[in-house]
Amino acid sequence: MIDRTELWIVIVALGLGSFGLRFVFLGLVGDRPLPEWLTRHLRYTAVAVLPALVMPLVVWPSATEGETDPVRLTAAGVTLAAAYFIKNVILSMLLGGLVLAGGAYWFG
Amino acid sequence: MAGPGVKSSFWTGVRDGLPFLLVILPFATLFGVVASDAGLNAGEALAFSLAVIAGASQFTALQLLQENVPLVVVLASALAVNLRMAMYSASLTPALGKLPLWKRAVCAYFLVDQNYALSVVKFEKERDLSLAEKFAYFLGATMPLCPFWYAFTVVGALVGSAIPTEWGLDFAMPLAFIAMIGPALRTGAHRTAALVASVAALTFAFLPFNLGLLVAAGLGMAAGAEVERRVGAK
């Protein structure tokens, strides 16, 4: 059972912290120009952070207690291939979801 | 500055954001379900979503809370997952930085993966958009996201354990993120960044407190920037 005091400390502190992270540049730096090396790095934020966030979840899914799951790997691969070639986010997700559901049906 | 351009920008944003409902609805519901499994009531789950609006971070915090790790570690890990928001914030600053402070605060509060991804592409492609049109587009893109994030957290918390875990809903977030990455891999520099970050994320997964994510993301960004510098590509 989660301690109620701890829960509310986490909710409030995480809320403030998350807002702080989102506000730091937009709010405090404002319209002052950023150095070129920084903007050059920032262009690659999404394509670096999202894969770094996703890879461990794909290779060691929590649902299988960290064991590599061929069905989830395949679903992820299909989603990536579809997203790269078709460039349609929803269609790609649906294809990946179908592989996941199909895999669970056949092997589950 | 308000005019037809602003209005149409808003609705373009709404339309562009709508497909993400397919991601937001199951994901928010899932958070509600997980929260209810962890013993949170609907109000507490909603408070979580209202305060944080960040799926991965909320899941991380909830999971660690259940494992009784020290509060400092819970917060550090959950914030580390959200560190990318600071990068999003910096990345949008050239486009939105001239807004009045309260509007920048509004943008900051609502800034999530999806409206960032949409806006950064939109602002890069259509450089002649006015400041008001950019703000309207961002708000439009937020409409199908955040309100539904709150609402379906509550739905999930109320539905609770009625949803079987074998449905593989845990994988909705990874698939959603992968689907978003695909179209972004436009240049060699982008592909290098993603590849380096992926390999590094697995290599440094042993690091405590989710630090592997930060190291991997940093390496990926540096790799992308370095390739761009050498090739001179944008």
Side-chain angles (χ1 to χ4, degrees):
Chain A
M1 198 62 190
I2 296 173
D3 181 85
R4 277 300 169 275
T5 315
E6 290 202 347
L7 175 69
W8 282 102
I9 291 174
V10 166
I11 289 178
V12 172
L14 193 55
L16 289 176
S18 300
F19 178 76
L21 288 174
R22 288 162 161 139
F23 188 68
V24 60
F25 287 101
L26 258 178
L28 301 181
V29 179
D31 60 353
R32 271 162 287 179
L34 296 166
E36 205 213 314
W37 68 266
L38 183 58
T39 51
R40 191 166 56 225
H41 279 74
L42 291 171
R43 266 197 281 281
Y44 301 95
T45 304
V47 287
V49 181
L50 291 182
L53 191 66
V54 162
M55 270 314 258
L57 300 175
V58 169
V59 179
W60 304 299
S62 57
T64 60
E65 266 137 42
E67 206 150 308
T68 306
D69 172 23
V71 174
R72 283 180 166 77
L73 273 186
T74 312
V78 167
T79 307
L80 181 63
Y84 183 72
F85 290 109
I86 312 172
K87 301 198 190 308
N88 183 314
V89 175
I90 294 307
L91 194 62
S92 311
M93 259 202 78
L94 286 179
L95 282 173
L98 274 179
V99 171
L100 195 64
Y105 181 77
W106 287 112
F107 304 110
Chain B
M1 286 230 295
V6 170
K7 213 172 188 179
S8 88
S9 275
F10 178 84
W11 289 109
T12 310
V14 172
R15 203 173 335 114
D16 290 351
L18 269 179
F20 287 112
L21 270 181
L22 291 176
V23 181
I24 297 290
L25 299 190
F27 201 28
T29 310
L30 181 65
F31 179 77
V33 171
V34 173
S36 122
D37 283 351
L40 273 65
N41 63 37
E44 289 162 340
L46 175 64
F48 224 129
S49 284
L50 277 172
V52 187
I53 339 177
S57 173
Q58 290 177 222
F59 279 108
T60 307
L62 203 55
Q63 189 191 334
L64 293 179
L65 268 173
Q66 284 174 281
E67 290 167 18
N68 288 318
V69 289
L71 271 188
V72 180
V73 176
V74 175
L75 286 172
S77 306
L79 282 175
V81 174
N82 267 355
L83 203 70
R84 67 187 190 286
M85 304 294 179
M87 305 179 195
Y88 296 167
S89 172
S91 161
L92 287 180
T93 297
L96 299 174
K98 287 195 170 65
L99 288 169
L101 185 67
W102 73 271
K103 285 186 180 175
R104 277 182 274 148
V106 168
C107 289
Y109 170 72
F110 286 117
L111 186 56
V112 294
D113 293 309
Q114 290 85 359
N115 55 15
Y116 165 72
L118 289 173
S119 299
V120 82
V121 170
K122 178 83 170 175
F123 301 161
E124 199 174 306
K125 254 197 279 181
E126 298 177 29
R127 283 165 195 270
D128 53 344
L129 282 180
S130 74
L131 189 58
E133 284 169 334
K134 286 176 185 166
F135 182 60
Y137 180 84
F138 181 86
L139 284 188
T142 303
M143 284 302 131
L145 305 174
C146 298
F148 291 90
W149 179 254
Y150 312 142
F152 278 79
T153 299
V154 175
V155 170
L158 295 176
V159 172
S161 47
I163 295 179
T165 45
E166 305 88 72
W167 282 12
L169 268 183
D170 65 287
F171 219 56
M173 179 188 83
L175 287 186
F177 284 173
I178 293 169
M180 279 187 262
I181 296 162
L185 302 175
R186 292 176 290 123
T187 67
H190 289 87
R191 290 188 285 270
T192 307
L195 184 67
V196 169
S198 302
V199 174
L202 297 179
T203 311
F204 293 102
F206 68 91
L207 289 176
F209 311 144
N210 271 306
L211 283 173
L213 166 70
L214 301 183
V215 172
L219 287 175
M221 286 166 72
E226 181 58 22
V227 170
E228 179 191 310
R229 200 178 60 81
R230 290 193 189 175
V231 181
K234 280 268 157 145

